[in-house]
């Protein structure tokens, strides 16, 4: 069953910005870790950022920190990923994911196998 739906991807010139959104389908996030992953053609899925909805504490992959910002909007029940200064290497299918562990903050590492629910992905294509 699909529980998460991503949106906001598209084609953009290098140096531009995008804000990706992730919304639940049929349920509400509840004090657990939500995260963004991405997968480029020919590469394995990699973590980008995560946020614990209990207190909105966020974690970032070191290599992406500074250009990526993960936030939540409680009123809209939406997870966001803002990407600035886009590079061609940011081209990938971006997924949001949810951990089933309640009242547990995101760890210092975001491991894909720890997330039980995934969206279908939204494509980000960056051209030079």
């Amino acid at each position: 069953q699909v529980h998460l739906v991503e949106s906001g991807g598209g084609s953009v010139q290098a140096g531009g910005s995008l804000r990706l959104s992730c919304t639940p389908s049929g349920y509400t996030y509840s004090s657990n870790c939500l995260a963004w992953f991405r997968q480029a053609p020919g590469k394995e899925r990699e973590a980008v950022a995560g946020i614990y909805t209990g207190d909105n504490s966020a974690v970032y992959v070191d290599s992406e920190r500074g250009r990526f910002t993960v936030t939540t909007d409680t009123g809209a029940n939406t997870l966001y990923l803002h990407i600035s200064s886009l590079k061609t290497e940011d081209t990938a299918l971006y997924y949001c994911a949810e951990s089933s562990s309640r009242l547990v903050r995101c760890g210092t590492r975001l491991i894909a196998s720890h997330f039980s629910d995934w969206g279908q992905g939204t494509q980000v294509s960056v051209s030079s």
Side-chain angles (χ1 to χ4, degrees), residues 21-38:
S21 300
C22 175
T23 57
S25 177
Y27 73 101
T28 303
Y29 307 131
S30 180
S31 299
N32 58 349
C33 179
L34 304 177
W36 288 97
F37 291 78
R38 67 181 182 183

Side-chain angles (χ1 to χ4, degrees), residues 9 13 33 76-77 88-89:
Q13 292 287 330
C33 179
N77 196 30
T88 55
E89 53 262 43

Side-chain angles (χ1 to χ4, degrees), residues 80-97:
Y80 299 102
L81 179 69
H82 184 266
I83 314 173
S84 62
S85 301
L86 282 158
K87 304 175 181 179
T88 55
E89 53 262 43
D90 293 323
T91 296
L93 190 64
Y94 285 72
Y95 300 89
C96 64

Side-chain angles (χ1 to χ4, degrees), residues 2-123:
V2 177
H3 299 292
L4 308 171
V5 179
E6 304 96 336
S7 63
S11 298
V12 63
Q13 292 287 330
S17 300
L18 284 174
R19 188 182 73 170
L20 309 183
S21 300
C22 175
T23 57
S25 177
Y27 73 101
T28 303
Y29 307 131
S30 180
S31 299
N32 58 349
C33 179
L34 304 177
W36 288 97
F37 291 78
R38 67 181 182 183
Q39 186 167 22
K43 296 184 177 180
E44 295 184 359
R45 189 171 300 181
E46 63 178 357
V48 176
I51 187 167
Y52 174 61
T53 59
D55 60 7
N56 290 328
S57 57
V59 295
Y60 297 93
V61 176
D62 289 342
S63 62
E64 307 298 340
R65 188 159 51 199
R67 297 195 303 113
F68 290 75
T69 303
V70 60
T71 58
T72 59
D73 184 327
T74 302
N77 196 30
T78 302
L79 172 72
Y80 299 102
L81 179 69
H82 184 266
I83 314 173
S84 62
S85 301
L86 282 158
K87 304 175 181 179
T88 55
E89 53 262 43
D90 293 323
T91 296
L93 190 64
Y94 285 72
Y95 300 89
C96 64
E98 179 180 17
S99 171
S100 61
S101 299
R102 300 294 181 86
L103 302 178
V104 178
R105 299 177 67 179
C106 299
T108 56
R109 288 189 175 187
L110 300 170
I111 302 174
S113 62
H114 291 180
F115 295 84
S116 57
D117 294 318
W118 295 78
Q120 82 288 351
T122 184
Q123 180 68 42

